[in-house]
Structure formats: C-alpha cells, structure tokens
Amino acid sequence: MSGRSFMNLNLFAFTFPEPKTFSTCSSSMNASAGAAAATAERLLGGAVTSQRPSCSSLLGLGARSANRFRLPGSILKMSGVRISCSSSVSGRKGLTYKEAGVDIDAGAELVRRIAKMTPGIGGFGGLYPLGDSYLVASTDGVGTKLKLAFETGIHDTIGIDLVAMSVNDIVTSGAKPLFFLDYFGTSHLDVDLAEKVIKGIVDGCKQSDCALLGGETAEMPDFYAKGEYDLSGFAVGIVKKDSLIDGKNIKSGDILLGFPSSGVHSNGFSLVRRVISESGLSLSDQLPGHNGPFTLGEALMSPTVIYVKQVLNIISMGGVRGIAHITGGGFIDNIPRVLPPGLGVDVFRNSWNVPAVFKWLQEAGRIDDTEMWRTFNMGIGLVAVVTPEASERILAEYDSVYRIGVVVNGDGVKYV
C-alpha cells in the first residue's frame, strides 16, 4: 500500500448539525444552483411528473389514517404503523431496491443498534467539540455507480461524486468543509485511470472550497476484478457552536426549500442497474424521452451536485433552521432526521420538475411510486427548512430553488 500526503494551507471555517435520530413511519417509498440546474435540464430532459394513481399520499401516516385514501391499482399492507404499497404495471411485478440487493430497513436497524452503543450517532455528520466550535466529520463512498463508470469508461467525474457525498452531509449543519481525504483500492494500479479518478476528487474539492490533504492508494492483487477499483472519502469541517444548524428551532409553518439534483446522484444504482438489465437498452443508447444527444450512460453518470457554496450563502441570509441531504431513503427517511419530535412535513409533490431519467426508470422497471420516492432523490438533492420570511428572501434571489413543502404538526412525510 502506498500512502499519499499533500500539504494545502487554504483552510476554511465550517458548521454541521448535531446528530439525532427520529423514528418515522416506514414505507417502500424512495426518493445546483444556476449552472447545475441548467446541466440537469440539459442532461435529463424537461419536466416529467407522474400522475398515475399511487399510495404516495400515505407516506408518514399511521395505519389508522389509511382508510381515508383510495388506492386504485395498489395493494395496501398494514402491520402496526408500518405501511407499504405494491402495484404492478401491465400485470407484471415491479422491481424493488430490496430485490436488487439493498435493504434500506436493514441499514436503518444497524444505525439504531450502533446508536445504543455510541449515543449521538445518526445525524448527517459527527460532531466533536473543540473549544467554541465543533469539528464535523463525514465519510462515504459512491456505491455501485462505480459499476457504470467501469462500463461507460467515464472516470473523470466519479471523484466529484465521492467528495459530494461527504461535504453535502457536512454542510447540513451550516458547516464549510476544511479538508478531504480519499481511499483508492484496486487489484492492479492503472496509473492513467487512477489519475482520472483523482482529477475528479480535486475538482470536487475545488467546488466545495476544501483542501485535499492526501489519501491512500492500495494495490491488492486478486482482491478486485481486473480493471475495477473502489473508492471512499472522508471530510472534516468546523462550525461555531452558536452557529450550529441542528433543527431544534424548527416550527410548524416553516417552509421547505428544495435544491435541484443533477439526476440520480450516487444512490439507488443497484436498482438502476437492475432496470437497465431488464430494459433491453444499453448505456450507449439515447435516454428515452430526451431529444438531446446524451446517452443513458451519460445521464446516469452526471456527477452529484455539490451544494456547499450555495447553501452557505443562503445560511448567511438568515432564517435557516434545518437542512437535509436527500440520499438513500429519499424524503421519507432524510427530512425527519432534522425535525423535532411532534413535527412532520407536507411535501407539495408537483412543485418541481421531476427529471426524465426518473420517469424512464419507473416505467422500464415497473417501479411503484413509493419505491421510487424512497430509493431516489426524484430531482431534489437537498432540502432546507427555513422561516417563512427567509423563504421569501431566498426565493427572490434564487430562481433555481423551489418551495416544495411546509412543516406541520404531526409525524413523518406526507405528499399533497
């Protein structure tokens, strides 16, 4: 193994929310600025919103509320307060994330067990007290999106995804990342390929104004398949204790602002790959429903948006009370992580344009609405909870941010 170490003295100050865990109603639902929004529109096509009957309005509701809704084409299953919905298209069983090999509920259960051993675990990042500040740390990878990088040969942006997954978690506290470290593991080191990957990491660090301090390159014969590699990343930031954004002051009536994604980002690719395998399309085919010159592979490989600069600017305008990074688990699992007990949210489902890539994934995979919204971000990569007054200021300055919902008394996430 060969360690890499670099020196970069351009350090910055940052902030992050206090870890907390809130229970939510579980369902099978899964879910930038300026240039990023334009890129998403260019790559993924125009507005596409599914209008077919679904059980999405049940998200976040207990079983006792289920009888208020009609579910054409769906089967409602209830066990206590757990609600799941299944439906089919053309009589065929739809694909699910769990059947593709990823069990979100199992991951949540592991977090709950770890939290018993180490209280405080469960937020978007970990806090370490340091004088009048907190150091904020996050670590992540890019999952099986790497498989598409191998198949498409697109390696120069996967490093952006790697950085984004950690720094977007850190900025949910209002923090600016200080530095980033990476791990690159492979069976046989291809220097040219590794250079492309690390170039993306450098680009991601520049986008988030953090320093790339170094990393680890591990060459392990026979451990990885030929031509393949694995990535993980680690980011650290800092925030003043009195500037921490932790959601504790969120109140009923506060507004949800949605920041557009560039597409699938870096979650749900096990299900994406399953859909591709059953669709009959290749990654070199044009994205269905899109008239541009971009292939399916190029659309899916669009790098994760790094929200750091935009979010920090919005925080400086005042009135931001909570921030959620929309990754695996979508809205249903991620927004409640920043809400105080006794509060839920109503999401205005048609308040933004759902990119064409999600429409294609749903149709090609015959995926139920609830499964889509719990697996994918559905076009919103980050959600800020702000005061009504702050929402007016922010929306007046940013036409690429959407008013997507409101905080209400209750529990969980409901789509209206």
Side-chain angles (χ1 to χ4, degrees):
M1 297 188 180
S2 174
R4 285 179 281 115
S5 181
F6 309 100
M7 180 173 290
N8 189 324
L9 300 180
N10 295 322
L11 301 181
F12 303 82
F14 263 67
T15 40
F16 184 95
E18 184 175 352
K20 62 180 71 175
T21 303
F22 298 109
S23 61
T24 62
C25 173
S26 176
S27 77
S28 59
M29 165 146 184
N30 197 343
S32 149
T39 299
E41 182 176 353
R42 180 167 59 89
L43 282 173
L44 303 173
V48 180
T49 304
S50 173
Q51 298 293 337
R52 69 185 179 86
S54 73
C55 58
S56 60
S57 58
L58 285 172
L59 292 177
L61 297 178
R64 289 177 297 176
S65 301
N67 59 2
R68 299 188 214 164
F69 298 90
R70 298 178 62 195
L71 301 174
S74 300
I75 301 171
L76 177 63
K77 302 174 183 178
M78 293 178 288
S79 176
V81 295
R82 176 175 175 78
I83 299 176
S84 64
C85 301
S86 60
S87 68
S88 60
V89 179
S90 301
R92 296 176 296 170
K93 188 175 184 298
L95 299 178
T96 68
Y97 203 16
K98 186 173 183 177
E99 290 169 346
V102 179
D103 188 341
I104 295 176
D105 292 325
E109 174 61 22
L110 177 60
V111 171
R112 284 192 289 269
R113 294 186 186 187
I114 294 174
K116 291 179 180 179
M117 296 182 282
T118 309
I121 296 294
F124 288 100
L127 303 180
Y128 183 84
L130 184 69
D132 64 351
S133 300
Y134 287 114
L135 290 180
V136 185
S138 180
T139 182
D140 212 332
V142 293
T144 58
K145 188 172 185 176
L146 286 173
K147 288 288 189 180
L148 268 67
F150 305 149
E151 294 177 32
T152 61
I154 300 174
H155 300 283
D156 57 348
T157 58
I158 199 74
I160 297 175
D161 290 292
L162 183 67
V163 175
M165 295 305 290
S166 287
V167 298
N168 285 344
D169 275 353
I170 282 178
V171 82
T172 62
S173 64
K176 183 184 184 330
L178 293 174
F179 57 84
F180 187 83
L181 298 165
D182 72 89
Y183 169 86
F184 178 95
T186 186
S187 180
H188 174 73
L189 182 60
D190 181 330
V191 175
D192 291 335
L193 185 151
E195 182 182 26
K196 291 178 181 178
V197 174
I198 295 172
K199 176 185 179 298
I201 295 173
V202 171
D203 288 346
C205 288
K206 288 179 179 178
Q207 289 184 34
S208 54
D209 279 343
C210 72
L212 177 61
L213 290 189
E216 172 71 11
T217 301
E219 189 172 23
M220 298 183 287
D222 303 324
F223 194 81
Y224 297 100
K226 182 179 180 180
E228 296 189 356
Y229 56 85
D230 195 14
L231 292 174
S232 58
F234 315 86
V236 175
I238 191 168
V239 56
K240 294 290 186 182
K241 289 181 178 178
D242 59 6
S243 298
L244 182 69
I245 296 177
D246 57 10
K248 289 182 178 179
N249 295 323
I250 292 175
K251 295 179 173 58
S252 178
D254 284 344
I255 304 301
L256 304 185
L257 298 182
F259 295 69
S261 70
S262 60
V264 183
H265 281 185
S266 299
N267 293 99
F269 275 88
S270 293
L271 181 54
V272 167
R273 293 186 299 111
R274 179 74 177 273
V275 172
I276 294 171
S277 69
E278 296 197 7
S279 71
L281 295 182
S282 73
L283 293 172
S284 60
D285 289 328
Q286 182 176 321
L287 172 65
H290 186 274
N291 296 322
F294 301 100
T295 66
L296 177 60
E298 289 169 336
L300 292 170
M301 287 299 295
S302 180
T304 305
V305 176
I306 292 177
Y307 297 102
V308 170
K309 292 181 180 178
Q310 184 184 18
V311 169
L312 291 177
N313 185 58
I314 285 175
I315 289 171
S316 72
M317 299 170 69
V320 178
R321 290 176 165 170
I323 304 173
H325 185 197
I326 308 303
T327 55
F331 287 0
I332 189 68
D333 287 344
N334 288 296
I335 295 179
R337 294 168 70 179
V338 302
L339 297 176
L343 293 179
V345 296
D346 284 352
V347 173
F348 309 144
R349 181 168 178 168
N350 295 322
S351 57
W352 73 93
N353 296 331
V354 178
V357 67
F358 296 111
K359 177 68 172 179
W360 175 78
L361 285 168
Q362 182 166 21
E363 292 183 348
R366 309 173 305 282
I367 303 172
D368 184 82
D369 276 7
T370 53
E371 188 74 14
M372 285 293 298
W373 286 78
R374 197 185 183 202
T375 305
F376 302 112
N377 66 61
M378 300 302 287
I380 298 294
L382 183 138
V383 172
V385 184
V386 306
T387 64
E389 297 77 16
S391 72
E392 298 300 325
R393 295 194 300 268
I394 294 167
L395 291 171
E397 181 167 335
Y398 291 95
D399 57 8
S400 60
V401 176
Y402 305 106
R403 183 179 184 273
I404 67 166
V406 63
V407 178
V408 297
N409 292 318
D411 188 24
V413 179
K414 182 173 68 174
Y415 290 76
V416 298

